[in-house]
Amino acid sequence: MLDKSVLDTIKGILNELPVEGPCLDYKEDYEGYRNKFKKSEFIKDLCGFLNSIDGYKKDKYIIIGVTDDLNLIGVDPSSIIKDTDFQDLAEFISPRPSVITGTLIHDDGNTYGYIYIPGLLNNNLVYTINKDYPNIPIGNPDYPRYKIVRESTSYIRSGSKNRFIQESDRRSLYKLKYDSLNSTISSVSVVNSNGSSFLRKIALIGAWDDHNDNDKELLSRYLKIDYEKITENLKNIMINMPELITYEKGLWKINNSKDIIQEYAKLYLDDDIKEFYNYTVEINKEYNPKYDLNKGIRQFANVYGKTYKHSNALRISTIKTLTLLKSNESNMLNCKSSIRSFEYRVINDIIDTNNWKSIVSSSDLLVYLAELSPKCYLDFVNELLEKEEVVKELVDESEDGFFRRDYLSEIVTGLLLTIQLDAYFIESCVLLINLSIYDKEIIDRICLAFLPWHPQTTASSNRRIVGLKSMIKENYEMAKILIKKLLPGQTTLSYDLPKFSYMFNLEYKEISLQEYYDNQFDILKLACKEYKSTEENIIELLDLTLHLNKDMFQYMLSNVKKC
């Protein structure tokens, strides 16, 4: 049952009829939320209220039965929408908000509806639409776009109106949240001798395992306080800002590390970053003792007690933080030199390219290292390929059996990240084709970046042809397999390449039919030119004619005749 003080507030609103604003809205009747398009208006209204800057942590009300010109008319009791319907609509917003609906009879004898949004129960920020409503395809001409709320969009209430949220609004909301958080944890905030606060430092760590004694010992050293005090601080934060930190199955996780680091970017000093970097290297430099076991039993490494000293959660989160710091370098005014320094050092500091065990122990970190410094990652793979014996060891030591694990796979994954960047496209192509010597399945993964109907790289069509030529020059046999897969009708399925977490916000433009046709033709011309003129190769090309259009067929036929 609704608290009496809240009911009294609603009655006070009906008596005084204040104008609409960031915490108050009026609706004439329930028809405004009746059909599926009008229900989307409720989702929009609710999301806007939840993200209201002026209404942060304040109670909000939607009162039903009041006209636009503030006349009290009440509602027909038979028209009232059930609470369960409103609760179902609230599910389309994340985090899931707390909403209370109901009715009351006012002094004028009329019935009024209310939707109450408690301020203290809805302070997570930023609230976002998590699913299309109604679920109608984009571009359907029968339905107006403005009547639909779309997944991943967000609204904010500005005065008495809702609008799409802007990046500046997000920044203001995050500032509200963290200013509020600082005030709630001031009594337990720990400051070390260098002046870095508990929250700023713990945000760099990101995640760790509460059951791992080595994780706990390292956190105590890093934060310079007992681990019991650390957990006390974390619990205090969780009570006041539960969306900021989660604890699940023994794992602590700072959910908003990116936002905290961005908010306090100017307060991080060179010494703070250097200290964190040294701990990151300590955590990630060790090689996994499971690789001391015979490859046939490595999948049972836990049984033999052969595991990393530190948890995977801590290992990966600290490396991801380096990438996050690099992506935010322009705002890190007092520690730019330290960030630039670790960008060029981290791979060499963590990985020994002479030791296959060191390389494969870092395999789950490679995609983040490739994002952090694409050039340094390419240098690392170049250096590795020059050490043929080490590469052979990686291939020979790959695990067989039910849980087969290819030790080259994650190295390739890092290159499939760099190949998406025009500046590193050609070098990535050359390295990938050289790695394919050891595993032909790598060709299928390279193909994804080149597919004429879905290229996953910012490199232009002409540059992709240059990449193919570079691979032909580097390794003809492997490049030939790739080109065949790119010819019309040979590859019909695709899946997404790995995505950048923080850096390089890439956008791939849609391919027009003309661009698709031109690129297909360019690949065919390359195949006709570069395939060595042997009977076997000519027959192989002729086998592809079923998938060629007339112009392509005529072109290939004329080239076959020349042979």
Side-chain angles (χ1 to χ4, degrees), residues 544-562:
L544 305 175
T545 56
L546 290 176
H547 303 284
L548 302 180
N549 63 29
K550 180 180 177 181
D551 291 340
M552 291 182 180
F553 177 78
Q554 291 293 341
Y555 179 87
M556 193 180 75
L557 196 60
S558 65
N559 277 269
V560 169
K561 288 177 180 178
K562 292 177 185 177

Side-chain angles (χ1 to χ4, degrees), residues 25 52 249 272 306 332 395 454 486 525:
D25 193 18
S52 169
K249 296 180 180 179
D272 299 324
K306 299 285 188 177
M332 312 292 286
V395 175
H454 183 46
L486 295 174
K525 290 176 181 178

